[in-house]
Amino acid sequence: MSEPTEERRRLRVVVADDQAAVREPLAAVLGLAEDIDVVAAAADGTEVLAAVAAGPVDVVLMDLRMPVMDGIETTRRLGEQYPQVAVVVLTTFADDDSILGALGAGARGYLTKNAGRKDITRAIRAAAAGQSVLDREVQDRLLATVRNTAAAPQAPVPGSALPEDLTRREREVLALIGQGLPNRGIAEKLFVSEATVKTHINNLFAKAGIPDRAAAVRRAIEAGLA
């Protein structure tokens, strides 16, 4: 007789969007996933904060343009008050100000509304696990912005040099992050498992004082690795 498999923990998700025509169908579709419970649907940032306060909540799927309190401000407040709650942005907007504002406020993922259900559920699971997922369009814009900034004449960035104790593999991983590759793409490129890539990233971030993937992209470009 086969042993029972361990049941995956169900993730508690808040869906935030000011349009009921988007919010309600999205909540219904996500609720079909075997490991996701949509515990609340919010029309603005104040409703998000209230839902999280009533908790527990693992992930907020966040629209950016909402009345009363927008998604960037809500993300910032969640980071201050509920740092254990991950934010994945799902928005129509992929301009530089929106992307950098959301990631700077602490969002772990950024998707456009062209994303399918599988992309969204994958991003929610990744965010709950402490990982970042960026839409390909968002990755491209972020890379272009950082490269343009790096190409402009400017004073050296304090702390941009990489620690001497980074291993060759950790430098390779940082270079591939700088090229916009997700963990799976890095694993395929280096012929290792995703678990091994995650270990290298955790070690790299700890040694170099890198807080998130967006900062890793900047460090890779500043160090001439991407």
Side-chain angles (χ1 to χ4, degrees), residues 140-155:
D140 291 344
R141 288 193 68 95
L142 182 60
L143 286 169
T145 299
V146 174
R147 284 179 175 140
N148 289 340
T149 301
Q154 54 186 310

Side-chain angles (χ1 to χ4, degrees), residues 132-163:
S132 298
V133 174
L134 303 179
D135 185 280
R136 185 69 204 185
E137 179 185 355
V138 172
Q139 285 186 10
D140 291 344
R141 288 193 68 95
L142 182 60
L143 286 169
T145 299
V146 174
R147 284 179 175 140
N148 289 340
T149 301
Q154 54 186 310
V157 179
S160 63
L162 297 176

Side-chain angles (χ1 to χ4, degrees), residues 129-132 166 169-170 173-174 177 183 186 194-213 216:
Q131 303 165 27
S132 298
L166 285 189
R169 184 62 93 189
E170 287 162 358
V173 169
L174 179 58
I177 291 175
N183 287 3
I186 295 172
E194 284 191 65
T196 298
V197 171
K198 291 175 188 176
T199 298
H200 287 315
I201 290 175
N202 288 338
N203 293 339
L204 161 66
F205 282 20
K207 289 179 182 179
I210 297 174
D212 52 41
R213 211 172 185 93

Side-chain angles (χ1 to χ4, degrees), residues 16-17 43-46 48-49 60-79 87-91 98 101-103 105-107:
D17 195 294
D44 59 57
T46 60
V48 171
L49 294 176
V60 176
L61 189 63
M62 186 83 73
D63 187 23
L64 289 186
R65 307 294 172 88
M66 297 185 293
V68 185
M69 185 187 299
D70 66 23
I72 291 177
E73 178 60 25
T74 306
T75 299
R76 184 176 294 111
R77 294 199 188 189
L78 286 173
V87 173
V88 174
V89 170
L90 181 65
T91 181
S98 296
L103 295 179

